[in-house]
Amino acid sequence: MSTSDQDQSVDTPIPAPDVDTAAEVEAETEVEAEVEAEGEAEGRRLTPRQARRLRIALSSVGMVAMAVVLGLRIASRSSVLVVGVYGLALILCGVVIELSRNGRTRLGSWLLAVGLVAAIGSDWLLIP
């Protein structure tokens, strides 16, 4: 044993914690409830990984939907314009999937929304 160990006594009592009053306990409980409510609100947001997976899933569903519509439109009237519009929509869905995989989910979301609206609008306006 060193001299510093010998200076400290082994049986030193630990001081008792301060007794809180009822008002202090109630105030602490309210603060804890507010912190839990904020934590629950933050828990509702998607993590970046969940957001990427959601965008990839939405893009995949959009790609399948565009492929089905392309097949139906070619069956009813085959046109280069039909293939062009829906082919570009399919390419756009693939680009959005790659953007989402690389962490550019907001850009991918905007491109997906604008691109699909443009494809549907051009189908309605341009293709007889």
Side-chain angles (χ1 to χ4, degrees):
M1 266 188 170
S2 67
T3 55
S4 62
D5 291 337
Q6 292 174 356
D7 292 339
Q8 297 175 356
S9 72
V10 177
D11 297 326
T12 306
I14 299 173
D18 295 334
V19 177
D20 293 335
T21 63
E24 290 175 353
V25 170
E26 185 177 323
E28 287 177 7
T29 308
E30 289 175 8
V31 170
E32 289 174 0
E34 289 175 7
V35 169
E36 287 178 12
E38 289 174 6
E40 289 176 4
E42 290 175 4
R44 292 183 194 147
R45 295 188 64 185
L46 295 175
T47 65
R49 179 175 290 188
Q50 290 172 335
R52 283 192 300 269
R53 288 183 180 170
L54 178 66
R55 297 322 185 275
I56 289 171
L58 289 175
S59 297
S60 300
V61 168
M63 187 178 277
V64 169
M66 287 297 137
V68 168
V69 172
L70 175 62
L72 293 174
R73 295 291 283 175
I74 288 177
S76 66
R77 58 176 84 82
S78 60
S79 167
V80 175
L81 194 56
V82 170
V83 174
V85 167
Y86 287 103
L88 287 175
L90 286 169
I91 292 170
L92 177 72
C93 289
V95 168
V96 170
I97 289 171
E98 283 302 311
L99 285 172
S100 296
R101 287 182 59 215
N102 293 323
R104 305 295 299 182
T105 55
R106 287 187 200 138
L107 176 63
S109 298
W110 281 104
L111 279 177
L112 183 65
V114 170
L116 293 181
V117 167
I120 293 170
S122 64
D123 179 27
W124 182 65
L125 290 173
L126 299 176
I127 302 171

